[in-house]
Amino acid sequence: MKLSSVWVALSLSPLLASAFRGSQPAIKESIRSAPQGWTRTGRAPADHVLSLKLALAQPKFSDLEKHLLASSDPAHPKYGAHLSKEEVHALLAPASDTLDIVHEWLESHGLGKESVTKSAAGDWVTLRVPAKVAEEMFNTQFHIYRHDESGDSFVRTTSYSLPSVLHPHIDLVQPTTMYTRIKPLRSTLHYSTELELTMDTASDTLTGPSGNAVDPSCNNQITLSCLKQLYNAEGYTPSNTSGNALGITAYLEQYANYADLQTFYQSQNPAAVGSNFTYVSINGGQNLQDPSQAGVEANLDVQYGFGMTYPTPGTFWSTGGEPPFTPDEFEPTNSNEPYSDWTDYLLNQTNIPQTVSTSYADSEETVPFSYADRVCKSFAAIGARGTSLLFGSGDGGVGITGPASTACTPNNGSDAHVFLPMFPGSCPYVTTVGATVNVPEVAASFTGGGFSNYFARPSYQDSDVSAYLQGLGDTYAGMYNASGRAYPDVSAQGVNFLVYIAGKPENVSGTSCATPAFASIVTMLNDARLQAGKSSLGFLNPMLYGNASAALNDITAGSNPGCATAGFNATTGWDPVTGLGTPDFGKLKDLVLSS
């Protein structure tokens, strides 16, 4: 890209000059150093082009949050009164003076309106600038950093500044201090080389949590039939005319193979053979169909999500990085964080699926708080539209998956040994799903769970979480944030799911399995409500922590060891391993139809 074709020299108007005269640069965000495992290798070349996102202040977000919580509470008069695209955009939009002063500042650096792009609500501004210009704009230096384990290299900084007059108007600029490894985003997928069983599988009969008989084979391998038996959903066939839909997200080269889906349908749901999902590309995301490129994560998600809910229409979003992306020797892979790209796309659609399943997660501390907070607010906006967002809780127990030497060590340079929460599962505006195993169900030992270091505990879970903490006492004191948002919220089976990959059956385990399983139950609940002329469920947590406990199967055995500890324990009521429990579709259906 030639700079002369993009950067146009503009003279400052008197108004512009007065707006910035005397406004000195002040640090907006900084970190002590690059996180452990990253090595600085040199200065970024002056002409290396950076793609940066500016998040503009959202002065009306508190109004959106208030509406979200009201419309998600079955006891509130506004329950089910979800917002339209236009109403949400109005509540996310920056103030006019924010737009004016930001545009003036961009023009002071030669960036006219033709040089930037804005999100649908105007709350995100994306600009592509050479490193030299970015260093001048943000009073910093950009360097090349290499990830020691993977060899990936990104251009980043450890601190950036903005004119002090801009601080109230710009919440963040990223990726600057973000060192998350996002290619690919770490899936919460967990491979088991042997079965994780705790009971005799030779029994002729198993009794499910609803008191019904369950095929003994379900203690060796999970299928669609097993999930329907376990969660009291046999005999329910969703409609394809109610307006209901299920969405599955995929990021950065996870491809859902059509042929594998048909093979799965032939094995698990013959009525669905010949049907398919709608594939949508966001920012250059692809869905290549070479069998050798079939993604385990993507295949798992679509086979169970769409297999359980057929004939409900399904959408598969493949999100790439912010375009255009031109690989070079300094950033050979796309380092742009895709969550905000996906949320911006979805919030600009008039009609969106009522349920969305996402099986990807990052260590919370690798995502700068400002960015995690902003993305979390975007999830709240989607919930206000009437969509239920479900995320996997992670597969590292109370730590994160990774080398034992670093899996429980924070990035702040200390040698502390602490529990490390996961994002987006730690966001209070999503429903986070843990994993169980066996019949009767116990917690799967790899299940991520704990307490956020970023987000405070929301009021809707105060009572349940406080009861657990009282029982926990001083155990692990100082290793977790007892006042943080607690997760997971619910759970479902997550071990030994039969999945077809490149034409062959495989057993797959992880909260990646549990998430589309629970999302499928939610999809069917939305179908039942829509057929009854009611609204979609939207954000689930106020209902789940309110009056839904009797419609969930409480899991009281198991734990999630990690960080050289036994981890948290499952117990009566909510716990940071299995949440409130696994679903009983029949009971939940009666509950949601009565509200």
Side-chain angles (χ1 to χ4, degrees):
M1 179 181 67
K2 295 182 179 180
L3 301 184
S4 60
S5 66
V6 177
W7 313 115
V8 181
L10 298 175
S11 60
L12 300 183
S13 67
L15 175 62
L16 173 62
S18 63
F20 291 98
R21 183 181 296 124
S23 181
Q24 297 299 314
I27 292 176
K28 183 66 176 178
E29 289 189 276
S30 66
I31 57 176
R32 184 186 59 84
S33 64
Q36 182 178 359
W38 290 88
T39 301
R40 193 170 81 179
T41 62
R43 186 78 177 270
D47 59 353
H48 175 77
V49 177
L50 298 171
S51 179
L52 300 174
K53 286 193 167 189
L54 283 61
L56 306 189
Q58 300 169 320
K60 296 181 181 179
F61 178 78
S62 61
D63 293 335
L64 185 147
E65 181 186 41
K66 185 181 300 183
H67 187 94
L68 170 71
L69 296 176
S71 63
S72 304
D73 181 358
H76 198 280
K78 289 187 177 180
Y79 180 61
H82 305 309
L83 301 177
S84 67
K85 175 182 73 172
E86 292 76 16
E87 289 170 328
V88 166
H89 283 179
L91 293 174
L92 294 179
S96 59
D97 62 333
T98 292
L99 294 174
D100 290 342
I101 197 168
V102 170
H103 283 150
E104 289 174 351
W105 173 65
L106 293 175
E107 288 179 351
S108 76
H109 289 281
L111 305 181
K113 292 183 179 180
E114 74 282 358
S115 303
V116 301
T117 57
K118 293 195 300 184
S119 64
D123 55 335
W124 286 95
V125 173
T126 302
L127 50 143
R128 286 174 55 80
V129 292
K132 180 181 179 180
V133 175
E135 290 180 343
E136 295 172 354
M137 293 176 69
F138 304 111
N139 194 37
T140 189
Q141 291 183 355
F142 284 91
H143 290 84
I144 304 163
Y145 290 86
R146 186 187 67 248
H147 187 254
D148 298 340
E149 182 182 355
S150 67
D152 290 346
S153 62
F154 298 157
V155 174
R156 293 290 189 270
T157 185
T158 56
S159 176
Y160 70 90
S161 299
L162 291 169
S164 57
V165 70
L166 288 178
H167 279 228
H169 301 281
I170 297 178
D171 289 341
L172 63 95
V173 181
Q174 291 294 351
T176 49
T177 59
M178 182 184 298
Y179 289 79
T180 305
R181 284 192 63 214
I182 52 133
K183 190 181 186 301
L185 283 172
R186 182 172 57 246
S187 161
T188 55
L189 202 61
H190 173 88
Y191 292 90
S192 291
T193 56
E194 57 186 50
L195 303 182
E196 183 174 348
L197 302 175
T198 61
M199 64 174 293
D200 181 12
T201 60
S203 172
D204 291 333
T205 61
L206 294 174
T207 301
S210 299
N212 57 312
V214 175
D215 193 308
S217 66
C218 298
N219 249 347
N220 293 280
Q221 188 175 67
I222 294 295
T223 62
L224 293 182
S225 178
C226 289
L227 292 176
K228 291 179 179 179
Q229 293 174 54
L230 279 165
Y231 299 138
N232 194 21
E234 287 187 295
Y236 185 84
T237 301
S239 166
N240 64 352
T241 59
S242 64
N244 192 37
L246 169 64
I248 301 289
T249 64
Y251 296 105
L252 304 174
E253 301 181 356
Q254 271 290 324
Y255 309 134
N257 188 269
Y258 299 143
D260 285 342
L261 180 62
Q262 296 305 313
T263 302
F264 179 83
Y265 282 163
Q266 290 171 2
S267 167
Q268 298 294 304
N269 190 352
V273 172
S275 67
N276 210 336
F277 53 83
T278 298
Y279 154 60
V280 176
S281 171
I282 301 175
N283 288 351
Q286 301 183 69
N287 194 34
L288 303 181
Q289 291 303 300
D290 184 330
S292 67
Q293 295 178 309
V296 177
E297 180 66 73
N299 273 13
L300 162 69
D301 291 342
V302 301
Q303 287 172 24
Y304 278 86
F306 301 143
M308 277 282 286
T309 61
Y310 175 81
T312 301
T315 298
F316 176 79
W317 297 285
S318 177
T319 303
E322 181 71 27
F325 173 70
T326 305
D328 62 22
E329 62 179 307
F330 310 108
E331 288 192 295
T333 59
N334 199 330
S335 64
N336 295 298
E337 209 286 345
Y339 286 133
S340 60
D341 295 334
W342 175 77
T343 58
D344 183 48
Y345 171 85
L346 201 66
L347 288 170
N348 199 32
Q349 307 305 303
T350 301
N351 298 305
I352 60 179
Q354 291 82 358
T355 310
V356 175
S357 176
T358 299
S359 292
Y360 299 79
D362 298 312
S363 174
E364 184 184 71
E365 67 170 358
T366 68
V367 183
F369 169 73
S370 61
Y371 194 91
D373 182 60
R374 189 54 175 259
V375 169
C376 189
K377 288 177 177 177
S378 294
F379 295 149
I382 293 172
R385 292 282 304 272
T387 292
S388 304
L389 295 176
L390 295 101
F391 282 83
S393 68
D395 285 356
V398 291
I400 60 172
T401 53
S405 62
T406 61
C408 298
T409 303
N411 278 336
N412 60 10
S414 75
D415 57 359
H417 197 65
V418 296
F419 298 161
L420 298 178
M422 301 292 288
F423 179 81
S426 62
C427 171
Y429 305 123
V430 305
T431 300
T432 307
V433 186
T436 61
V437 61
N438 298 329
V439 185
E441 290 182 281
V442 300
S445 62
F446 55 77
T447 297
F451 301 82
S452 173
N453 290 322
Y454 281 178
F455 303 103
R457 183 165 69 235
S459 59
Y460 60 72
Q461 63 174 189
D462 260 342
S463 176
D464 294 274
V465 175
S466 295
Y468 179 85
L469 291 174
Q470 184 175 1
L472 187 65
D474 293 335
T475 305
Y476 307 136
M479 296 188 73
Y480 70 96
N481 175 26
S483 63
R485 186 275 205 257
Y487 72 96
D489 302 298
V490 292
S491 51
Q493 287 279 321
V495 176
N496 291 328
F497 274 47
L498 171 64
V499 178
Y500 283 87
I501 305 164
K504 298 179 180 180
E506 302 280 351
N507 272 9
V508 175
S509 301
T511 52
S512 282
C513 301
T515 306
F518 202 101
S520 297
I521 296 296
V522 175
T523 300
M524 292 189 287
L525 294 173
N526 273 322
D527 175 76
R529 278 184 61 89
L530 292 172
Q531 287 196 66
K534 297 177 179 289
S535 65
S536 60
L537 291 167
F539 179 41
L540 297 171
N541 292 6
M543 176 194 73
L544 292 172
Y545 286 91
N547 60 350
S549 59
L552 296 167
N553 310 309
D554 191 12
I555 310 302
T556 60
S559 64
N560 58 350
C563 301
T565 74
F568 294 113
N569 64 297
T571 188
T572 301
W574 179 90
D575 56 72
V577 193
T578 62
L580 296 165
T582 61
D584 184 314
F585 173 74
K587 293 179 180 179
L588 285 169
K589 180 167 67 74
D590 290 343
L591 175 69
V592 301
L593 289 179
S594 66
S595 57

